[in-house]
Amino acid sequence: MRVHNSRHRFLARCVVPMVAVAAAAVAATPATAADSAAWTVRGPSPAPPVSASVTLDSDGALSLAVTHRGRSVLTPSAVGVETTAADLTKGLTFIRREDRVVVQNYVMTTGKQRVRHARSAESTLSFAGPSGARMDLVVRVSDDGVAFRYVLPDAEGVTVKREASSYTLPSGAPAWLLPYTPNYEATRVETTAGAAGAGDFGFPALFAVDDTYVLLTESDVDGRYSGGRLTHQAGTGSYAVKLADAAVASPGPLATPWRTAIVGDLATVTTSTLVDDLAPASKLADTSWVRPGTVAWSWLSEHDSPRDPVRQKQYVDFAARNGWSYILIDEGWDRSWVPDVVRYARARGVEVLLWFHWTALDTAQERDDTLSLVKSWGVAGVKVDFMDSDSQARFKWYDDILRKTAELRLMVNFHGATIPRGIQRTWPHVMTLEAIRGAEQFRTRAATNTMFPFTRNVVGGMDYTPVAFVVSDRDTTDAHEVATFLVYESGWQHAADKPENYDSRPEALRTLNQLPTTWDETRLLGGRPGQEVYLARRSGQRWYVGGISAVPAKTFETPLTFLGKGRWLVETLHDGPDGLVREARIADAHDSLTVPVATNGGFVSVICEYTKGRSTCDQPVRRVPRTDLVVTPGQAQTRPGGTIDVRGTFTLPTGDPISDVELRVTPPAGWRVSGEAVSDKHLRAGESISGAWTVTADAAAAPGYVDVPVVATYRFADDPQRRPVHVEEAVRVFVPPPNPTGTAYVSDLPFLSESNGWGPVERDGSNGETNAGDGGAISIGGSTYAKGIGTHAPSEITVWLGGACTRLQAEVGIDDEVTESGSVAFQVIGDGRPLADTGIIRSADGARTLDVEVSGVRTVALRVTDGGDGKNFDHADWADARVTCA
């Protein structure tokens, strides 16, 4: 790439990253004073459908307008930026114009189109303000829209106070708008550009100007800036960009995000990849570990299930039977049992995803410790929730967690999040984002559902959590629910209902098992926002056609001209008079697909190449062979630097042979293993391989329990995913701390394990809320205590006594910080045996004294139950908890 000066070297290096094919720069074309008042930028096609016009008026103020096929769609509207050092919205003088064509070829891991080819024309218009401050307005035009950004080249840094960026549409233009909230979960409304109320609206915002549609949004937002939104002046068609922060600071030169208008007919807008085209290239050199897929998710249909490892294993079994790739364990999981569920799942070909509140990962130390820990368990990805902000600080946090998860090869789903702004191109391990009023709102409306493919889902993966038959407050049919899985694009599709509800609708489940979650090609076949939408998507050699409707019953018909040569088998699932109906027919590219669509209904068609005798497009789902891995010993104890001997035997009891079998120990960080992995090219039914190893503990091993995994990996024939199966069992090794001596407060002892019903367990403070240290002093019945443990039922803390102590004493009760009465029971468990139980204690009961004999006890667990009536307000204190020891 040729560049013309140092300022534009910055632009080329930092603003316009190329993939595969670099952009070619052309010579600068300085304008004279006579022609410096207006400039036009046209797309690179021979007959470009879209063009942008920039005007500098007599006051030195800039405006930008957009036309589509010669007709105005965005009339001249102010552009510019104001910093703390200069007002670059007026008094500008033109310096030069530079043009180039930007060509990009790149590959996505998710989305509506896997392989991307993008071509656009770009003009950089350079201006100086009254004080000499410089600003470049960079305008990029492609066949599907216009984008512009500002480049402020001040090497000393810059602080942006506001943008003048705005858009003006005909006041009568139909509009589909989202009242702004930072989680983008408000109900989208249908109105007009002028009739919309005054206030803020979230991106993306869709308008129709006659038969041309305009989708306004932004691209390439990260921690160098803050997110934007639109603010509307009532009674006008004008919308201005408003930043989340009052000031956005950059330590050096700044290139702002792209202000983006996707422009064209409805099909062009719906299938546009412009937001990704404008984003920085992928930061990952290797994406082989990034795997989209279907996720079994329990929280929506049964909120308490993420606390139940037995129920989570049932979801694993369901996913394994149906070839689904993942389960998501949402809020409520506990580190005491998650590793076991992960091992159970992986042995069955299912990977586990874990939910986190973002505040559990908001510091570098938390991200290093927590994410590294769950990765060591074998977790494949994380769902991070409740960010609820478009501030620059929050985007810096996104940058940080994306770098760390990429380093650890953990895939990501952002919930309670902002919208995609090209993030899935730059960070290909981002599988999906919420930013949608999804099924978890428990109020499903067909009219709203049919807006999403034309608005929110245009800009990136959308975690709607589809196919929720469990939602009773819905006006959609069962076929509509199934079709959302296809019509909505998301790299991870979190199927939102319970196994029993899917099993009771076998035709729906059969269809879901055949649907991919990423696509090679997407075409809009028909529809209008708020009414209906029909899409064709291709994955490999197969086509999938689906639609959802919010209109009265009708027959949908579409030509099948997109099919290749030959004959095709078309299997269609739709609503029938007595439930879901599946029909099959043979067709070719000269035929049409005709489907009855019920009121607020939908359908899904799976289309595969027809061969003689073929009666279904169903492909076998991935089912992993049953194997056995036995590890001895099951439990062990060693001091730091000590050793244990480990043996493992891996067996294929029955079935077809497996291949590339390997058995090895994968020691924890800092631990060492002596002995080689054992392997076998093939293992037949009834055959085994065995290994023996000596494992040496880290000389600096912290007290507590450590899992030493023994892992078997293998491949099996006809695996559609062609990846190794991971089978793991672990030796549970206990590293004891020093025995306590004298009178020791429990809050000063190391915790061997801990779990808590809300937030972290607190030492010498009350439970508070979700952050460590956010409680107050421990207070029960008006008495305060300097020492103790603050918990929230259900909770359990285990500490080591080593047989050296004789008594455990504490004052226990509900903390005074709760606003309503709680109810709990305190229990003391010694080496697995019950030693004490207070029975139910309520807030009004004040403190109760515990005095428990613990002679000879090695480990003691302090447990709190919720009293049988739920955990609300169950802030339970172990005040002055102490042990008397030799």
Side-chain angles (χ1 to χ4, degrees), residues 780 811-815 824 826 841 846-848 875-879:
I780 308 173
E811 302 295 315
V812 299
I814 301 289
D815 196 275
V824 299
F826 293 82
I841 295 178
R848 183 173 301 180
H875 290 218
D877 295 333
W878 299 82

Side-chain angles (χ1 to χ4, degrees), residues 501-517:
N501 282 351
Y502 289 132
D503 286 335
S504 68
R505 297 169 173 83
E507 291 297 343
L509 182 57
R510 178 181 167 187
T511 297
L512 293 177
N513 291 348
Q514 297 299 315
L515 296 181
T517 64

Side-chain angles (χ1 to χ4, degrees), residues 634-676:
Q635 297 182 347
Q637 180 173 315
T638 188
R639 292 286 181 180
T643 63
I644 58 171
D645 292 325
V646 176
R647 295 187 61 86
T649 299
F650 179 68
T651 305
L652 176 66
T654 60
D656 294 333
I658 58 178
S659 61
D660 300 330
V661 183
E662 183 178 80
L663 184 64
R664 65 189 184 276
V665 172
T666 57
W671 293 49
R672 303 189 312 276
V673 59
S674 298
E676 299 296 323

Side-chain angles (χ1 to χ4, degrees), residues 292-312:
T294 301
V295 186
W297 178 49
S298 68
W299 180 88
L300 185 141
S301 59
E302 39 187 341
H303 283 3
D304 290 336
S305 61
R307 301 183 181 279
D308 184 353
V310 174
R311 185 57 171 156
Q312 291 307 307

